Amino acid sequence: MSKEKAFEQEFENKIENEIKIEPRDWMPEKYRENLIRQISQHAHSEVVGMLPEANWITRAPSLRRKVALLAKVQDEAGHGLYLYSATETLGARREDTVDDLHEGRAKYSNIFNYPSVTWADIGVIGWLVDGAAIQNQVMLTRTSYGPYSRAMVRICKEESFHQRQGYEIVLHMAKGTPEQKEMAQDALNRWWWPSLMMFGPSDKDSKHSQQSLAWKIKRQGNDELRQEFIDKTVPQAKYAGLTIPDPDLKWNEEKGVHDFGEIDWSEFMNVIKGNGPMNRSRIKARKAAKENGAWVREAATAYHEKKMKRAQQKQSAA
Amino acid sequence: MSKPKSKNEWPLWEVFIRSKAGLSHKHVGSVHAADHEMAIENARDVYTRRSEGISIWVVESNQVHANNPAEKDSLFEPADDKIYRHPTFYEIPDEVGHI
């Protein structure tokens, strides 16, 4: 057996026996590439995901809501950083990863290409968008790559507050004045379908799904995750007295799940290609953050160099 | 991995956190920072937002040396057949009790 073959066999055995792959272990090049693609995309989603929420920090309706939203946005930054850190264990360079996003070579979750137009959106984003993210991320705590799995464990612990603060906002508005309830319903109408699309195309149409499942990078298919999400959120909408904007949605007694309407994948494809309402604005904001922060990074480096030089001079004088 | 660093990219630091007195520092991830002080501050913001730590170590990533995973058999296998290093290897009647 060639050395390469032996390594490959060992890798396959680990995957088979649920032994995590760690950074310096041998891994197929495609496994590495696939992970870098998925984890960096995940990291970009956390970072771009700060933008629709940051939009409402200064206009949060109370101090309680404001501190919660600030903490949530700060968490998203942290989550992005845990994940960028995981990509670096695979040999990706941070700056390249970030530039891939800015130059359009890497994607982020399509959901953030929609605008947050009212305060109710902040509630629905926490409830559904973070809810869908949790659904996906709980599955990813069992991913085969060690650093990704560990980042997911941390993230899941923190996300549950995000989802709860969102649902609390939705519930509060849904039980409020008729105008507030209408705002909550309007937000649900706009976010429901894009939230379902967050799980990605049906497994039969998803080009990465099969290989990712075989390598146990992903542990559940897109359709299964989507179905679980629907089954969990439908009763929550009902509890709040809100209507899910899907006339075909109904409980299927036989299967024990909800049947739901056709997802408009042409919209998904159109938005992912860059034609969503906020695509250009999101990338512009990220690029501006990098460019406007450049002088700070340079100054910090210069300060460090100056300190080093002074320490050296002191040493040679002594 | 061996690509040249761009002029402005801050080095990478590995972060270790002691979650409470009595426990060892444990590796939690990494941060970029211009120097060790900033690395500690960044690690504080990234890894201890919910009181996860009382002490932080940072080590520049390129200062960490590790064994080659391909040589793990020659390094660790010699310990696998030395069952006499474990207390259960020895046969002692139950009534003797243990210390």
Side-chain angles (χ1 to χ4, degrees):
Chain A
M1 205 158 44
S2 73
K3 213 170 174 184
E4 185 86 348
K5 268 268 170 272
F7 283 148
E8 199 168 334
Q9 190 59 50
E10 197 187 340
F11 172 83
E12 294 294 345
N13 287 346
K14 282 186 193 160
I15 297 286
E16 172 75 26
N17 296 311
E18 300 287 328
I19 295 170
K20 299 279 186 232
I21 308 300
E22 293 294 343
R24 301 181 73 235
D25 293 346
W26 186 91
M27 60 186 86
E29 218 28 56
K30 284 275 172 218
Y31 176 84
R32 184 187 301 275
E33 284 168 18
N34 202 327
L35 272 174
I36 292 177
R37 182 188 55 80
Q38 178 170 332
I39 303 173
S40 63
Q41 209 161 292
H42 197 157
H44 299 325
S45 302
E46 300 283 354
V47 170
V48 176
M50 290 193 280
L51 298 170
E53 304 199 295
N55 184 34
W56 281 93
I57 290 174
T58 55
R59 289 168 290 161
S62 69
L63 186 58
R64 183 176 186 274
R65 295 286 185 224
K66 190 174 192 159
V67 291
L69 187 56
L70 266 170
K72 180 177 190 294
V73 171
Q74 198 184 11
D75 272 353
E76 309 298 5
H79 297 175
L81 292 168
Y82 306 157
L83 290 161
Y84 283 130
S85 164
T87 64
E88 289 177 287
T89 66
L90 291 159
R93 273 188 45 207
R94 176 77 61 92
E95 202 174 349
D96 292 342
T97 309
V98 170
D99 288 342
D100 282 345
L101 170 70
H102 294 181
E103 304 308 325
R105 289 185 294 269
K107 292 194 174 71
Y108 53 91
S109 181
N110 214 23
I111 194 89
F112 303 119
N113 290 320
Y114 294 88
S116 52
V117 290
T118 76
W119 172 252
D121 289 31
I122 297 305
V124 173
I125 289 172
W127 170 34
L128 296 180
V129 176
D130 288 76
I134 291 170
Q135 183 76 37
N136 192 40
Q137 289 170 161
V138 166
M139 171 269 287
L140 289 171
T141 59
R142 293 184 295 121
T143 189
S144 56
Y145 187 57
Y148 194 22
S149 162
R150 294 191 283 276
M152 282 300 115
V153 171
R154 284 190 76 99
I155 288 177
C156 284
K157 275 188 202 159
E158 300 182 353
E159 287 277 0
S160 118
F161 127 63
H162 299 179
Q163 194 267 349
R164 288 170 66 100
Q165 69 91 35
Y167 189 70
E168 194 192 82
I169 292 171
V170 171
L171 203 54
H172 204 76
M173 294 187 80
K175 305 282 180 201
T177 64
E179 289 83 1
Q180 285 171 326
K181 183 171 181 183
E182 202 185 310
M183 273 171 80
Q185 181 63 54
D186 168 62
L188 174 58
N189 293 348
R190 283 179 291 106
W191 289 95
W192 175 254
W193 290 104
S195 299
L196 297 190
M197 294 176 198
M198 281 177 73
F199 297 98
S202 179
D203 296 309
K204 57 185 194 303
D205 306 318
S206 172
K207 62 175 175 173
H208 298 297
S209 235
Q210 289 315 314
Q211 184 60 74
S212 290
L213 286 168
W215 276 329
K216 297 185 180 172
I217 293 174
K218 288 172 67 166
R219 308 303 305 257
Q220 281 176 290
N222 297 349
D223 294 315
E224 188 185 347
L225 289 165
R226 180 164 28 240
Q227 184 69 56
E228 284 179 16
F229 173 75
I230 291 170
D231 292 334
K232 282 178 198 161
T233 48
V234 166
Q236 293 171 348
K238 197 174 166 199
Y239 185 86
L242 299 174
T243 310
I244 302 240
D246 178 359
D248 297 323
L249 186 77
K250 60 173 187 298
W251 178 248
N252 184 326
E253 191 65 55
E254 203 179 309
K255 289 194 217 155
V257 297
H258 289 87
D259 289 334
F260 56 97
E262 200 73 36
I263 293 172
D264 180 4
W265 290 110
S266 63
E267 176 185 324
F268 178 81
M269 294 320 290
N270 189 41
V271 174
I272 220 166
K273 275 194 204 119
N275 302 321
M278 300 302 283
N279 299 54
R280 271 171 283 270
S281 155
R282 299 299 185 225
I283 294 301
K284 200 173 146 201
R286 290 314 309 156
K287 278 180 155 169
K290 185 182 175 192
E291 284 158 18
N292 297 339
W295 72 270
V296 179
R297 294 192 296 279
E298 283 161 23
T301 303
Y303 177 64
H304 169 65
E305 280 162 6
K306 190 173 87 178
K307 270 197 307 187
M308 294 290 279
K309 211 179 268 171
R310 282 209 182 137
Q312 270 170 0
Q313 280 165 355
K314 223 172 168 182
Q315 221 168 23
S316 52
Chain B
M1 226 176 279
S2 52
K3 277 184 236 173
K5 268 201 306 191
S6 88
K7 191 170 156 276
N8 298 321
E9 191 169 63
W10 291 338
L12 190 65
W13 303 75
E14 299 302 320
V15 179
F16 300 80
I17 291 183
R18 185 199 297 288
S19 58
K20 61 178 189 178
L23 296 178
S24 307
H25 285 76
K26 194 175 152 197
H27 183 247
V28 292
S30 61
V31 294
H32 281 272
D35 58 28
H36 71 271
E37 287 165 42
M38 186 191 279
I40 289 171
E41 286 165 5
N42 288 353
R44 191 269 318 263
D45 289 344
V46 176
Y47 293 104
T48 67
R49 287 192 304 284
R50 287 174 178 78
S51 315
E52 291 96 334
I54 56 161
S55 165
I56 297 174
W57 286 352
V58 292
V59 180
E60 213 176 320
S61 304
N62 62 17
Q63 297 298 314
V64 175
H65 302 275
N67 71 286
N68 178 353
E71 288 163 6
K72 80 172 174 9
D73 286 351
S74 58
L75 272 175
F76 302 114
E77 231 172 41
D80 290 347
D81 61 357
K82 295 180 178 58
I83 51 171
Y84 46 86
R85 285 180 174 166
H86 298 276
T88 46
F89 178 75
Y90 300 93
E91 285 172 23
I92 303 286
D94 283 350
E95 53 268 37
V96 175
H98 48 79
I99 288 180

